[in-house]
Amino acid sequence: MSTTNILIVEDESIIALDIQNSLVNAGYTVIAIATCAEEALDLTAQYVPNLVLMDIRLRGEIDGVETAEKIRREFNLPVVYLTAHADENTLQRAKITEPFGYILKPFEDRELITTIEIALSRHKAEGAIRLALEREKELNQLKSRFISVVSHEFRNPLNAILFSTELLERYDSELSAERKHGYLQRIKISVRRMSQLLNDVLTIGETESGNLPFDPQPIDLLQFCKDIIDELQLSQAMHCSIQFSHSHTNFLLLENSSSPCLDENLLRHILTNLLSNAVKYSQQGKNVELNLIYSNKDVVFRVQDCGIGIPISDRSRLFDSFYRASNVKTIPGTGLGLSIVKQCVDLHGGTIEVISEVEIGTTFIVTLPLKHYPLTYEENFSH
Ligand code: ADP
């Protein structure tokens, strides 16, 4: 059972010892006795008790009411007043400090304990309500942010589509085949960007509600990576080419061949986001590399670019939804991709690491543990 630590603030030592006895007999721990406001504040900071029993009249310039107010404001701890003074003015001042109880001296042990227990449970209940309210507030902020980021990100490609179609419609006969091709390409890219954005929004929705399924199945990793790169190079206006390499460490071909298992859908989110970021945040013509290192135990994906890099001050929040580093300037984005990547890596029980230097480049290293399932006879000998 956890103990309840109580700080007594009482400048009359005999009364303080009497209270201490009552509390100890009732099973509480008295962590200290303070005799003035300054000492009470110091001891509160040092021990952070569960509750403070506060005499209103204290020696020195600061009385118990003011001390209680400071404790409430700075430490958010429950304070119960214990005093012989109950004149109207004192009561009014004490009320403002939202005390958790008020006991008049002389008091009965039973009264003291009941008041302490009520104060502790009220404080606990209020803490839970405060947490729920904070969470609600965060969610509301997240929702507003979400709406503004997503609508902004939709508006750009929509405008590009509108602009291109209008030009094609109006100047059809005057435009060269090359210009027309350019506008059509722009429309295609914009549609793909919106569809990617929609996918991200849906995936974030699934991760937030804990509904993103994790279903690892045997996977041909090399082919999978090659397909993802081909898809990206075809679908995006790739201004960088992606080089693929692979190697293995301690990879044993087991007697009963087995196939590594990963969730394809999640792995697609991981690689697509990391690779398209690597391209997006690199200058035209720079290379992006995907390196795959696998063993029987795990698989490591390294996505390396020579792009704008990520400032150190932004690294800790990189995987938060909507967070974008301070150096993105006008490069478009929502700050959702890495948050999705992190969730997908977590579902695999893996890790993600980032090494980056501003204006030199960035490497993301994802390590996923592998499970192996024996191949069927047909699968084993079909290659
Ligand atoms: P975004 O849609 O903004 O690209 P992400 O969640 O994918 O969102 O990434 C979050 C932020 O991390 C980006 O806005 C960018 O600041 C930074 N970032 C991610 N990948 C890279 C990279 N390869 N190079 C530089 N910065 C990156």
Side-chain angles (χ1 to χ4, degrees), residues 157 161 186-197:
I161 293 171
R186 206 195 249 192
I187 295 174
K188 267 194 193 165
I189 291 165
S190 302
V191 171
R192 281 193 188 114
R193 206 164 123 205
M194 289 198 303
S195 129
Q196 175 64 40
L197 191 61

Side-chain angles (χ1 to χ4, degrees), residues 159-219:
N159 282 340
I161 293 171
L162 191 65
F163 180 69
S164 305
T165 47
E166 272 175 8
L167 286 178
L168 285 170
E169 192 179 44
R170 220 180 283 172
Y171 303 107
D172 181 43
S173 53
E174 292 145 61
L175 288 172
S176 66
E178 201 184 331
R179 293 284 295 275
K180 280 187 194 167
H181 178 73
Y183 289 128
L184 287 171
Q185 278 302 104
R186 206 195 249 192
I187 295 174
K188 267 194 193 165
I189 291 165
S190 302
V191 171
R192 281 193 188 114
R193 206 164 123 205
M194 289 198 303
S195 129
Q196 175 64 40
L197 191 61
L198 257 181
N199 276 344
D200 283 356
V201 170
L202 290 174
T203 311
I204 278 284
E206 282 176 330
T207 59
E208 298 272 314
S209 59
N211 284 337
L212 192 62
F214 174 56
D215 179 23
Q217 295 291 335
I219 182 171

Side-chain angles (χ1 to χ4, degrees), residues 147-163 190 193-194 197 334:
I147 290 167
S148 85
V149 167
V150 171
S151 37
H152 176 262
E153 280 304 303
F154 264 111
R155 191 164 292 144
N156 288 341
L158 276 174
N159 282 340
I161 293 171
L162 191 65
F163 180 69
S190 302
R193 206 164 123 205
M194 289 198 303
L197 191 61
T334 54

Side-chain angles (χ1 to χ4, degrees), residues 277 280-281 305 309-310 318 323-325 328 333-338 362:
N277 274 351
K280 184 165 74 170
Y281 295 107
D305 65 57
I310 305 168
L318 222 49
Y323 192 80
R324 305 200 71 210
V328 293
T334 54
L336 291 177
L338 284 186
T362 302

